[in-house]
Amino acid sequence: MFFDYLIVGAGFAGATIAERIATQLNKRVLLIEKRNHIAGNAYDYYNEDGILIQKYGPHIFHTNIKKVWDYLSRFTDWNKYVHRVLAHVNGKEVYLPVNLDTMERLYGRKFTPKQLERHFEQKRVKIDKIKNSKDVVVSQIGEELYDLFFKNYTKKQWGVYPEDLDVQVTKRLPLRFNRDTRYFADKYQGIPKYGYTRMFEKMLSNKNIHILLNTDYKDLINSVKFNRMIYTGPIDYFFDYVHGKLPYRSLDFKFKTLNKEIFQDAAVVNFPNEHKYTRITEFKHFYFQKHHKTTICYEYPKGEGDPYYPIPKSDYQEIYQKYRKEADKLKNIYFIGRLAEYKYLNMDQVVNEALKLFERIRND
Ligand code: FAD
Ligand code: UDP
């Protein structure tokens, strides 16, 4: 059988490109996905108790890129969910990122924004050149809060301490001198009203798109004819690990359904210093679902297993660059997405890159 485009992976990267090519270029696309579902890591579904849950952990859509928001809004309405995260520290639950409210709950006293600025001015460690994820934090909030919130959580999550990770990891969290308790400050945020999977179904419902689930592209690549390929899987796998394996961080998700309406006060509660899991997610908060039961999920980080997080560390960038060089030599094969670019990308960044890649493909 002949297809104009073969796309590997039905996550945000693959689905966006597939949709654009099918509708804008009117070309035939074969979308191959090794899992038994579309939507990549954003996949959500109703479990046996009828509760809408996310199979691969908490996914909250947030962006400042209007083009991306407008694009996805063609396929879904959004609910008004605003993400808030509590961290369980010193026997208290306090909001992250660190803000006025966090500090007042933690220290049991009032702060004005000015007092808080002065407090951190005294606590922060002066560092000339910020080199790693520890520097990022201690240069803003000092050693004490670094130890409380970041040191052990990061070790659990990544297997290494923040000093061994590039700055981008902890830079994801700001420090706030006001009472903004939201996790993200982006202009556009929410969750697809009927779930991510429904949104993906809409994106992919086009007669030009043929979806093949439960299939690793390598099992089929020699029996399909196509002009161009878009690859969104792990880049080292594509090249049969010729330059060595790239490390990815993985997770075990343990789900539990409880006979109560609500389990915790926020969708996500982090546990920096206790337990083997990093956080507990309660999905009903995301979808505003009414149900007499609730499902929660514990996340246990691990080194082996499904690749979820590329590890932001310069040693691994060196390996990645070797693969990148090989990739750049290939005509008519494009690499995009979190795994193919080995980049700690959020969903909106992946969609943004996919829209840009589509323009490139259109002009090639
Ligand atoms: P993926 O979603 O991973 O899709 C790639 C697809 O390719 C997968 O479905 C995979 O099965 C398939 N594939 C791989 N190899 C093959 C093969 N050989 N043959 C066939 N198919 C293959 N981002 C946010 O913006 N907000 C959040 O709140 C957020 N929370 C997250 C929480 C967790 C626990 C994780 C792990 C990620 C989170 N992300 C979040 C990031 C988000 O998941 C990614 O940005 C997004 O999934 C990237 O899309 P993608 O298409 O590049 O990759
Ligand atoms: N982090 C931390 N303690 C927390 C929350 C986050 O140390 O309570 C660090 C940790 O290294 C984490 C990074 O900040 O990986 C980025 O956090 P984010 O919530 O963005 O991670 P993700 O949602 O991608 O897992």
mmCIF file of all heavy atoms in Angstrom, residues 254-281:
data_model
loop_
_atom_site.group_PDB
_atom_site.id
_atom_site.type_symbol
_atom_site.label_atom_id
_atom_site.label_comp_id
_atom_site.label_asym_id
_atom_site.label_seq_id
_atom_site.Cartn_x
_atom_site.Cartn_y
_atom_site.Cartn_z
ATOM 1 N N LYS A 254 0.689 3.952 40.190
ATOM 2 C CA LYS A 254 -0.151 3.021 40.963
ATOM 3 C C LYS A 254 -1.482 3.706 41.246
ATOM 4 O O LYS A 254 -1.523 4.737 41.933
ATOM 5 C CB LYS A 254 0.522 2.668 42.292
ATOM 6 C CG LYS A 254 1.802 1.881 42.151
ATOM 7 C CD LYS A 254 1.560 0.386 42.439
ATOM 8 C CE LYS A 254 2.813 -0.467 42.383
ATOM 9 N NZ LYS A 254 3.676 -0.352 41.229
ATOM 10 N N PHE A 255 -2.556 3.140 40.709
ATOM 11 C CA PHE A 255 -3.887 3.749 40.852
ATOM 12 C C PHE A 255 -4.648 3.091 41.993
ATOM 13 O O PHE A 255 -4.519 1.896 42.231
ATOM 14 C CB PHE A 255 -4.679 3.595 39.554
ATOM 15 C CG PHE A 255 -4.080 4.334 38.395
ATOM 16 C CD1 PHE A 255 -3.127 3.732 37.571
ATOM 17 C CD2 PHE A 255 -4.435 5.648 38.139
ATOM 18 C CE1 PHE A 255 -2.561 4.421 36.508
ATOM 19 C CE2 PHE A 255 -3.878 6.346 37.075
ATOM 20 C CZ PHE A 255 -2.930 5.729 36.264
ATOM 21 N N LYS A 256 -5.479 3.907 42.642
ATOM 22 C CA LYS A 256 -6.305 3.383 43.728
ATOM 23 C C LYS A 256 -7.662 4.088 43.655
ATOM 24 O O LYS A 256 -7.697 5.320 43.525
ATOM 25 C CB LYS A 256 -5.630 3.768 45.048
ATOM 26 C CG LYS A 256 -5.785 2.767 46.153
ATOM 27 C CD LYS A 256 -5.121 3.366 47.356
ATOM 28 C CE LYS A 256 -4.578 2.419 48.331
ATOM 29 N NZ LYS A 256 -3.980 3.078 49.467
ATOM 30 N N THR A 257 -8.753 3.323 43.731
ATOM 31 C CA THR A 257 -10.073 3.955 43.758
ATOM 32 C C THR A 257 -10.639 3.834 45.160
ATOM 33 O O THR A 257 -10.611 2.752 45.758
ATOM 34 C CB THR A 257 -10.999 3.329 42.706
ATOM 35 O OG1 THR A 257 -10.429 3.591 41.412
ATOM 36 C CG2 THR A 257 -12.401 3.934 42.748
ATOM 37 N N LEU A 258 -11.096 4.957 45.685
ATOM 38 C CA LEU A 258 -11.544 5.001 47.080
ATOM 39 C C LEU A 258 -13.038 5.279 47.155
ATOM 40 O O LEU A 258 -13.594 5.991 46.320
ATOM 41 C CB LEU A 258 -10.799 6.119 47.825
ATOM 42 C CG LEU A 258 -9.263 6.083 47.708
ATOM 43 C CD1 LEU A 258 -8.663 7.394 48.173
ATOM 44 C CD2 LEU A 258 -8.704 4.925 48.518
ATOM 45 N N ASN A 259 -13.647 4.744 48.204
ATOM 46 C CA ASN A 259 -15.077 4.933 48.416
ATOM 47 C C ASN A 259 -15.363 6.246 49.110
ATOM 48 O O ASN A 259 -15.976 6.273 50.167
ATOM 49 C CB ASN A 259 -15.612 3.793 49.278
ATOM 50 C CG ASN A 259 -16.262 2.750 48.401
ATOM 51 O OD1 ASN A 259 -16.950 3.087 47.437
ATOM 52 N ND2 ASN A 259 -16.030 1.481 48.723
ATOM 53 N N LYS A 260 -14.862 7.319 48.570
ATOM 54 C CA LYS A 260 -15.167 8.640 49.132
ATOM 55 C C LYS A 260 -15.171 9.640 47.986
ATOM 56 O O LYS A 260 -14.578 9.389 46.935
ATOM 57 C CB LYS A 260 -14.159 9.033 50.208
ATOM 58 C CG LYS A 260 -12.693 8.929 49.783
ATOM 59 C CD LYS A 260 -11.797 9.744 50.654
ATOM 60 C CE LYS A 260 -11.594 9.115 52.024
ATOM 61 N NZ LYS A 260 -10.633 9.858 52.827
ATOM 62 N N GLU A 261 -15.840 10.779 48.213
ATOM 63 C CA GLU A 261 -15.969 11.710 47.099
ATOM 64 C C GLU A 261 -14.669 12.415 46.777
ATOM 65 O O GLU A 261 -14.300 12.593 45.623
ATOM 66 C CB GLU A 261 -17.065 12.729 47.406
ATOM 67 C CG GLU A 261 -18.363 12.316 46.757
ATOM 68 C CD GLU A 261 -19.402 13.391 46.769
ATOM 69 O OE1 GLU A 261 -19.079 14.532 46.385
ATOM 70 O OE2 GLU A 261 -20.520 13.077 47.199
ATOM 71 N N ILE A 262 -13.984 12.862 47.829
ATOM 72 C CA ILE A 262 -12.745 13.625 47.607
ATOM 73 C C ILE A 262 -11.676 13.132 48.573
ATOM 74 O O ILE A 262 -11.936 12.868 49.741
ATOM 75 C CB ILE A 262 -13.014 15.139 47.793
ATOM 76 C CG1 ILE A 262 -13.668 15.723 46.530
ATOM 77 C CG2 ILE A 262 -11.753 15.932 48.121
ATOM 78 C CD1 ILE A 262 -12.799 15.745 45.278
ATOM 79 N N PHE A 263 -10.451 13.002 48.075
ATOM 80 C CA PHE A 263 -9.353 12.483 48.883
ATOM 81 C C PHE A 263 -8.431 13.590 49.397
ATOM 82 O O PHE A 263 -8.013 13.591 50.537
ATOM 83 C CB PHE A 263 -8.554 11.479 48.046
ATOM 84 C CG PHE A 263 -7.278 11.009 48.692
ATOM 85 C CD1 PHE A 263 -7.314 10.093 49.737
ATOM 86 C CD2 PHE A 263 -6.045 11.487 48.258
ATOM 87 C CE1 PHE A 263 -6.128 9.657 50.337
ATOM 88 C CE2 PHE A 263 -4.863 11.053 48.856
ATOM 89 C CZ PHE A 263 -4.913 10.134 49.897
ATOM 90 N N GLN A 264 -8.098 14.563 48.507
ATOM 91 C CA GLN A 264 -7.141 15.603 48.908
ATOM 92 C C GLN A 264 -7.598 16.972 48.402
ATOM 93 O O GLN A 264 -8.470 17.066 47.549
ATOM 94 C CB GLN A 264 -5.733 15.265 48.405
ATOM 95 C CG GLN A 264 -5.615 15.144 46.893
ATOM 96 C CD GLN A 264 -4.264 14.581 46.434
ATOM 97 O OE1 GLN A 264 -3.588 13.862 47.167
ATOM 98 N NE2 GLN A 264 -3.861 14.913 45.203
ATOM 99 N N ASP A 265 -6.970 18.035 48.941
ATOM 100 C CA ASP A 265 -7.453 19.394 48.688
ATOM 101 C C ASP A 265 -7.021 19.988 47.350
ATOM 102 O O ASP A 265 -7.466 21.078 46.979
ATOM 103 C CB ASP A 265 -6.963 20.334 49.803
ATOM 104 C CG ASP A 265 -7.653 20.009 51.113
ATOM 105 O OD1 ASP A 265 -8.762 19.438 51.065
ATOM 106 O OD2 ASP A 265 -7.077 20.310 52.184
ATOM 107 N N ALA A 266 -6.133 19.314 46.654
ATOM 108 C CA ALA A 266 -5.710 19.818 45.340
ATOM 109 C C ALA A 266 -5.539 18.619 44.415
ATOM 110 O O ALA A 266 -5.412 17.482 44.867
ATOM 111 C CB ALA A 266 -4.387 20.563 45.471
ATOM 112 N N ALA A 267 -5.515 18.893 43.103
ATOM 113 C CA ALA A 267 -5.353 17.795 42.148
ATOM 114 C C ALA A 267 -4.032 17.073 42.378
ATOM 115 O O ALA A 267 -3.947 15.856 42.242
ATOM 116 C CB ALA A 267 -5.414 18.341 40.724
ATOM 117 N N VAL A 268 -3.003 17.841 42.735
ATOM 118 C CA VAL A 268 -1.686 17.233 42.928
ATOM 119 C C VAL A 268 -1.113 17.641 44.282
ATOM 120 O O VAL A 268 -1.106 18.830 44.626
ATOM 121 C CB VAL A 268 -0.711 17.663 41.803
ATOM 122 C CG1 VAL A 268 0.709 17.177 42.100
ATOM 123 C CG2 VAL A 268 -1.176 17.108 40.452
ATOM 124 N N VAL A 269 -0.655 16.649 45.048
ATOM 125 C CA VAL A 269 0.062 16.923 46.299
ATOM 126 C C VAL A 269 1.450 16.287 46.191
ATOM 127 O O VAL A 269 1.567 15.081 45.904
ATOM 128 C CB VAL A 269 -0.692 16.390 47.533
ATOM 129 C CG1 VAL A 269 0.104 16.679 48.808
ATOM 130 C CG2 VAL A 269 -2.087 17.009 47.638
ATOM 131 N N ASN A 270 2.487 17.103 46.364
ATOM 132 C CA ASN A 270 3.875 16.624 46.273
ATOM 133 C C ASN A 270 4.400 16.215 47.644
ATOM 134 O O ASN A 270 4.066 16.847 48.654
ATOM 135 C CB ASN A 270 4.787 17.739 45.750
ATOM 136 C CG ASN A 270 4.560 18.035 44.281
ATOM 137 O OD1 ASN A 270 3.738 17.399 43.625
ATOM 138 N ND2 ASN A 270 5.282 19.007 43.755
ATOM 139 N N PHE A 271 5.263 15.201 47.646
ATOM 140 C CA PHE A 271 5.888 14.743 48.892
ATOM 141 C C PHE A 271 7.402 14.765 48.739
ATOM 142 O O PHE A 271 8.023 13.743 48.437
ATOM 143 C CB PHE A 271 5.404 13.328 49.238
ATOM 144 C CG PHE A 271 3.936 13.280 49.561
ATOM 145 C CD1 PHE A 271 3.002 13.156 48.548
ATOM 146 C CD2 PHE A 271 3.492 13.398 50.870
ATOM 147 C CE1 PHE A 271 1.640 13.147 48.832
ATOM 148 C CE2 PHE A 271 2.134 13.385 51.161
ATOM 149 C CZ PHE A 271 1.207 13.258 50.140
ATOM 150 N N PRO A 272 8.008 15.924 48.935
ATOM 151 C CA PRO A 272 9.453 16.027 48.691
ATOM 152 C C PRO A 272 10.280 15.112 49.594
ATOM 153 O O PRO A 272 11.246 14.519 49.136
ATOM 154 C CB PRO A 272 9.769 17.490 48.990
ATOM 155 C CG PRO A 272 8.477 18.207 48.893
ATOM 156 C CD PRO A 272 7.423 17.221 49.282
ATOM 157 N N ASN A 273 9.910 14.990 50.858
ATOM 158 C CA ASN A 273 10.825 14.357 51.814
ATOM 159 C C ASN A 273 10.364 13.032 52.397
ATOM 160 O O ASN A 273 11.075 12.419 53.176
ATOM 161 C CB ASN A 273 11.125 15.337 52.948
ATOM 162 C CG ASN A 273 11.627 16.657 52.394
ATOM 163 O OD1 ASN A 273 12.539 16.665 51.572
ATOM 164 N ND2 ASN A 273 11.009 17.759 52.792
ATOM 165 N N GLU A 274 9.149 12.616 52.084
ATOM 166 C CA GLU A 274 8.679 11.333 52.615
ATOM 167 C C GLU A 274 8.292 10.419 51.453
ATOM 168 O O GLU A 274 8.022 10.897 50.365
ATOM 169 C CB GLU A 274 7.404 11.527 53.449
ATOM 170 C CG GLU A 274 7.529 12.495 54.597
ATOM 171 C CD GLU A 274 6.252 13.295 54.736
ATOM 172 O OE1 GLU A 274 5.331 12.790 55.397
ATOM 173 O OE2 GLU A 274 6.167 14.378 54.160
ATOM 174 N N HIS A 275 8.222 9.135 51.731
ATOM 175 C CA HIS A 275 7.714 8.131 50.789
ATOM 176 C C HIS A 275 8.620 7.936 49.569
ATOM 177 O O HIS A 275 9.466 8.759 49.273
ATOM 178 C CB HIS A 275 6.299 8.480 50.296
ATOM 179 C CG HIS A 275 5.340 8.822 51.391
ATOM 180 N ND1 HIS A 275 4.997 7.915 52.354
ATOM 181 C CD2 HIS A 275 4.673 9.961 51.670
ATOM 182 C CE1 HIS A 275 4.144 8.483 53.195
ATOM 183 N NE2 HIS A 275 3.935 9.726 52.809
ATOM 184 N N LYS A 276 8.347 6.834 48.874
ATOM 185 C CA LYS A 276 9.120 6.570 47.645
ATOM 186 C C LYS A 276 8.462 7.256 46.443
ATOM 187 O O LYS A 276 9.079 7.443 45.405
ATOM 188 C CB LYS A 276 9.200 5.067 47.405
ATOM 189 C CG LYS A 276 10.118 4.351 48.402
ATOM 190 C CD LYS A 276 10.772 3.153 47.737
ATOM 191 C CE LYS A 276 11.944 2.643 48.527
ATOM 192 N NZ LYS A 276 11.633 1.456 49.340
ATOM 193 N N TYR A 277 7.178 7.569 46.580
ATOM 194 C CA TYR A 277 6.514 8.273 45.478
ATOM 195 C C TYR A 277 6.764 9.773 45.595
ATOM 196 O O TYR A 277 7.046 10.286 46.672
ATOM 197 C CB TYR A 277 5.011 7.963 45.426
ATOM 198 C CG TYR A 277 4.251 8.122 46.727
ATOM 199 C CD1 TYR A 277 3.780 9.359 47.139
ATOM 200 C CD2 TYR A 277 3.992 7.019 47.544
ATOM 201 C CE1 TYR A 277 3.077 9.502 48.325
ATOM 202 C CE2 TYR A 277 3.294 7.150 48.731
ATOM 203 C CZ TYR A 277 2.844 8.400 49.120
ATOM 204 O OH TYR A 277 2.146 8.547 50.293
ATOM 205 N N THR A 278 6.663 10.468 44.447
ATOM 206 C CA THR A 278 6.890 11.921 44.450
ATOM 207 C C THR A 278 5.600 12.693 44.716
ATOM 208 O O THR A 278 5.607 13.704 45.404
ATOM 209 C CB THR A 278 7.420 12.407 43.084
ATOM 210 O OG1 THR A 278 6.623 11.807 42.061
ATOM 211 C CG2 THR A 278 8.881 12.084 42.909
ATOM 212 N N ARG A 279 4.502 12.198 44.097
ATOM 213 C CA ARG A 279 3.263 12.976 44.214
ATOM 214 C C ARG A 279 2.042 12.091 44.069
ATOM 215 O O ARG A 279 2.112 10.991 43.515
ATOM 216 C CB ARG A 279 3.239 14.106 43.175
ATOM 217 C CG ARG A 279 3.392 13.642 41.746
ATOM 218 C CD ARG A 279 3.527 14.832 40.785
ATOM 219 N NE ARG A 279 3.712 14.373 39.408
ATOM 220 C CZ ARG A 279 3.995 15.148 38.373
ATOM 221 N NH1 ARG A 279 4.132 16.448 38.533
ATOM 222 N NH2 ARG A 279 4.138 14.655 37.168
ATOM 223 N N ILE A 280 0.908 12.615 44.585
ATOM 224 C CA ILE A 280 -0.377 11.932 44.412
ATOM 225 C C ILE A 280 -1.286 12.856 43.594
ATOM 226 O O ILE A 280 -1.409 14.045 43.901
ATOM 227 C CB ILE A 280 -1.062 11.634 45.762
ATOM 228 C CG1 ILE A 280 -0.166 10.754 46.648
ATOM 229 C CG2 ILE A 280 -2.414 10.958 45.542
ATOM 230 C CD1 ILE A 280 -0.764 10.444 48.022
ATOM 231 N N THR A 281 -1.882 12.286 42.570
ATOM 232 C CA THR A 281 -2.817 13.046 41.729
ATOM 233 C C THR A 281 -4.228 12.531 41.958
ATOM 234 O O THR A 281 -4.448 11.317 42.006
ATOM 235 C CB THR A 281 -2.468 12.858 40.236
ATOM 236 O OG1 THR A 281 -1.147 13.339 40.025
ATOM 237 C CG2 THR A 281 -3.432 13.616 39.335
#
